[in-house]
């Protein structure tokens, strides 16, 4: 792997020459401009790290507050199946699950009884307990967000923001390099057009 670092033609060596073309006597003005753009892209990508972290931290605060609100308005309780959960027969030798809800009943904090469809393990007999979440009115609702969910969402937001910034910077650098390559190719064509065609080298 040493040639990657110390070799004159390895990718790291080529990247170093692109980043610091000033040491090369053959470097053109367009090469130095491309190196400047590359340095700015790298600097911007590094500066985007604390920005993405700050956005993720702010999102974490909002997520924690939302989780607290969810927890305050929801309560875990137990529903009991009114009838057995159905089982769907796939073929003669296997059994699959049924995605339909099974009728169940539960009681809210006021003692009022409610009925509704809950998802239970296929084949569960009538009377089987099923953990559910209910809102202040005793109606079925989703489980509240947790602290771990808030952390995961916040990290994801920060990473996606940083990736989006880096992707934009990479596209910008490639666009600049494409324009410079066309400019350099045109310069080569102009130089070749005026080169004497005497049939012998000077």
């Amino acid at each position: 792997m040493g040639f990657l670092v110390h070799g004159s033609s390895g990718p790291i060596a080529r990247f170093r020459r692109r980043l610091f073309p000033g040491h090369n006597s053959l470097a053109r003005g367009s090469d130095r401009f491309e190196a400047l753009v590359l340095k700015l892209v790298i600097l911007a990508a590094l500066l985007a790290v604390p920005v993405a972290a700050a956005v993720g931290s702010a999102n974490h605060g909002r997520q924690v507050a939302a989780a607290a609100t969810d927890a305050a308005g929801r309560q875990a309780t137990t529903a009991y199946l009114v009838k057995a959960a159905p089982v769907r027969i796939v073929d003669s030798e296997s059994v699959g699950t049924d995605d339909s809800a099974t009728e169940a009943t539960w009681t809210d904090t006021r003692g009022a009884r409610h009925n509704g469809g809950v998802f239970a393990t296929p084949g569960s007999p009538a009377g089987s307990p099923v953990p559910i979440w209910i809102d202040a009115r005793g109606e079925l609702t989703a489980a509240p967000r947790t602290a771990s969910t808030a952390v995961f969402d916040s990290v994801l937001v920060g990473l996606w923001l940083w990736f989006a910034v880096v992707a934009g910077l990479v596209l910008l650098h490639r666009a600049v390099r494409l324009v410079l390559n066309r400019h350099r190719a045109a310069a080569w064509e102009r130089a070749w057009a005026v080169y004497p065609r005497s049939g012998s080298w000077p």
Side-chain angles (χ1 to χ4, degrees):
M1 297 297 289
F3 71 94
L4 293 178
V5 179
H6 303 293
S8 60
S9 60
I12 295 181
R14 291 197 300 270
F15 179 77
R16 185 181 300 167
R17 287 196 297 270
R18 285 175 55 192
L19 194 60
F20 303 103
H23 302 295
N24 188 347
S25 59
L26 299 178
R28 299 157 293 187
S30 60
D31 297 326
R32 294 186 174 87
F33 179 74
E34 182 181 348
L36 175 62
V37 173
L38 181 57
K39 291 174 184 175
L40 292 176
V41 165
I42 295 174
L43 177 62
L46 293 176
L47 292 177
V49 173
V51 175
V55 172
S57 178
N59 181 74
H60 178 261
R62 291 192 296 269
Q63 291 285 341
V64 169
T69 301
D70 288 348
R74 306 180 191 192
Q75 180 183 6
T77 188
T78 302
Y80 296 91
L81 299 182
V82 175
K83 58 182 180 179
V87 175
R88 177 169 56 91
I89 304 300
V90 177
D91 54 41
S92 59
E93 296 182 355
S94 62
V95 177
T97 61
D98 190 275
D99 294 332
S100 61
T102 303
E103 185 179 357
T105 183
W106 65 91
T107 304
D108 62 21
T109 55
R110 298 168 298 178
R113 184 170 295 276
H114 299 263
N115 292 305
V118 301
F119 292 100
T121 302
S124 298
S128 297
V130 178
I132 61 170
W133 285 87
I134 58 175
D135 58 21
R137 298 176 301 175
E139 302 295 333
L140 284 172
T141 187
R145 283 167 283 191
T146 62
S148 59
T149 301
V151 172
F152 177 80
D153 290 345
S154 302
V155 171
L156 197 61
V157 167
L159 287 176
W160 272 113
L161 175 61
W162 188 76
F163 286 147
V165 171
V166 170
L169 292 171
V170 170
L171 290 176
L172 173 63
H173 176 259
R174 292 198 173 188
V176 170
R177 191 179 184 189
L178 177 63
V179 173
L180 292 177
N181 284 340
R182 290 181 177 178
H183 173 75
R184 288 188 282 250
W188 274 106
E189 290 180 0
R190 289 193 300 269
W192 183 251
V194 300
Y195 191 82
R197 299 294 197 277
S198 61
S200 60
W201 293 99

